[in-house]
Amino acid sequence: MLEKNFSGFILETGTDEAGRGCLAGPVTAAAIILPADFEHEILNDSKQLSEKTRTFLKPIIEKHAVCFAVTHLFPDEIDEINILNASMKGMQECILKLKHVPEYIIVDGNRSLNAKLGLKNSFGRQFTHEEITLLKSIPNQSIIKGDAKFLSIAAASVLAKTYRDEYMDQIHEEFPMYNWKKNKGYPTKEHRDAIRKYGTTKYHRMSFRLLPDQLELNFFEE
C-alpha cells in the first residue's frame, strides 16, 4: 500500500506527467487532491499497471478525488520551450486549474515545481503575475520515484497516462499509418519505420531526434 500523505497538510496535491519520451503527441500532466481516507490496494505508478488496470482505476480516482485537473501541452510548445520545461509547465497549469488551492504539492521526479515559472513563449497558456505569485507561494517537494511511493502522485500518473492515451487514440484515426493507437507516439521500431516511409505530421515533435540517423524528413499533410 502506498503512503497517503507526505506533508501533513489536508490539501496536499500530487502531480505527475506522461509522454515525456514520445516522438509525437502532447506531454500530459495531472494534479489531484485525494481525501484523507482514500486508499486502493492496486493503485500504483501507472508504468507498473496494465492498460486494462489503468482504465479500471481512472473513474474510481475521478469519483473519489476532492478535485483534479489534466492538461495537454502540444508539440509546438514542447519544441519551443523543451520537453523538460513543458512537463513542468503542464503540472503548473494543472495546479492553477484545481478547484482548491493546494496547501502543499508533491511532484514526481527531482525538480522543484517552481522551476522556470513565467517562460515567455509563443504557444500555450501565458501565466499572469498573480498566477506566478500563487505558484511560488505553495510549498512543494520533488520525490524521486514518488509515483511508486505516494497515492496522490500515483493517481496523478494514472490520470495523465489514460488521458494522453485517449488523445493518441483519437489522432490515430487521422494518421493510422503510424499506429499511435498501439505505440502512443513512443519511439518504437514500427513508429520510426512509418516516419521513414511517410515523413512527419503536425503531431510530431520536430525538436526530437525522430530517427536514429536523423535523415531529412518530409512533412505529411492531408
Side-chain angles (χ1 to χ4, degrees):
M1 181 67 68
L2 305 187
E3 295 183 54
K4 294 183 178 182
N5 191 279
F6 172 82
S7 66
F9 288 101
I10 294 174
L11 296 181
E12 179 179 274
T13 299
T15 185
D16 200 5
E17 51 73 28
R20 205 159 98 174
C22 294
L23 304 180
V27 61
T28 303
I32 189 168
I33 300 176
L34 293 172
D37 61 350
F38 180 84
E39 58 184 38
H40 201 288
E41 62 182 10
I42 66 171
L43 178 58
N44 202 340
D45 166 18
S46 64
K47 297 185 291 296
Q48 306 300 320
L49 304 174
S50 67
E51 182 177 3
K52 181 178 180 180
T53 300
R54 292 192 298 265
T55 301
F56 168 75
L57 285 170
K58 178 175 177 279
I60 296 173
I61 293 168
E62 293 178 338
K63 178 181 177 181
H64 291 282
V66 174
C67 59
F68 71 91
V70 179
T71 297
H72 297 303
L73 264 71
F74 296 98
D76 49 7
E77 188 165 7
I78 293 170
D79 289 339
E80 184 175 34
I81 66 175
N82 80 46
I83 185 60
L84 179 57
N85 288 332
S87 299
M88 301 306 294
K89 185 171 182 283
M91 291 187 278
Q92 293 162 358
E93 289 191 26
C94 287
I95 297 299
L96 294 172
K97 289 161 66 174
L98 291 173
K99 293 181 180 179
H100 300 280
V101 176
E103 296 175 289
Y104 199 95
I105 302 165
I106 53 176
V107 55
D108 183 50
N110 59 2
R111 193 178 190 223
S112 168
L113 187 70
N114 289 339
K116 295 291 183 72
L117 281 170
L119 289 168
K120 300 299 181 184
N121 52 300
S122 308
F123 305 99
R125 178 173 179 169
Q126 299 290 317
F127 292 163
T128 65
H129 175 73
E130 290 74 21
E131 289 173 333
I132 293 172
T133 300
L134 174 62
L135 286 168
K136 285 183 176 179
S137 73
I138 306 170
N140 68 89
Q141 177 65 49
S142 59
I143 301 172
I144 296 173
K145 296 184 179 179
D147 48 7
K149 296 176 181 177
F150 290 92
L151 280 170
S152 62
I153 303 180
S157 77
V158 169
L159 292 184
K161 176 63 174 167
T162 52
Y163 273 87
R164 186 181 187 281
D165 284 357
E166 288 171 2
Y167 180 86
M168 296 307 295
D169 289 349
Q170 292 172 15
I171 64 173
H172 166 86
E173 302 303 322
E174 188 176 354
F175 294 103
M177 66 282 287
Y178 299 93
N179 203 11
W180 291 328
K181 191 174 184 67
K182 179 181 179 182
N183 62 54
K184 309 304 183 189
Y186 281 92
T188 62
K189 182 180 183 300
E190 173 189 46
H191 188 184
R192 282 183 155 145
D193 285 347
I195 294 172
R196 286 189 183 93
K197 183 175 181 179
Y198 300 106
T200 59
T201 71
K202 59 187 177 182
Y203 298 112
H204 281 98
R205 303 174 184 176
M206 300 309 294
S207 59
F208 277 46
R209 192 181 184 195
L210 300 178
L211 297 175
D213 46 8
Q214 202 64 57
L215 300 173
E216 184 176 348
L217 301 174
N218 297 317
F219 187 84
F220 184 95
E221 292 184 288
E222 286 191 322

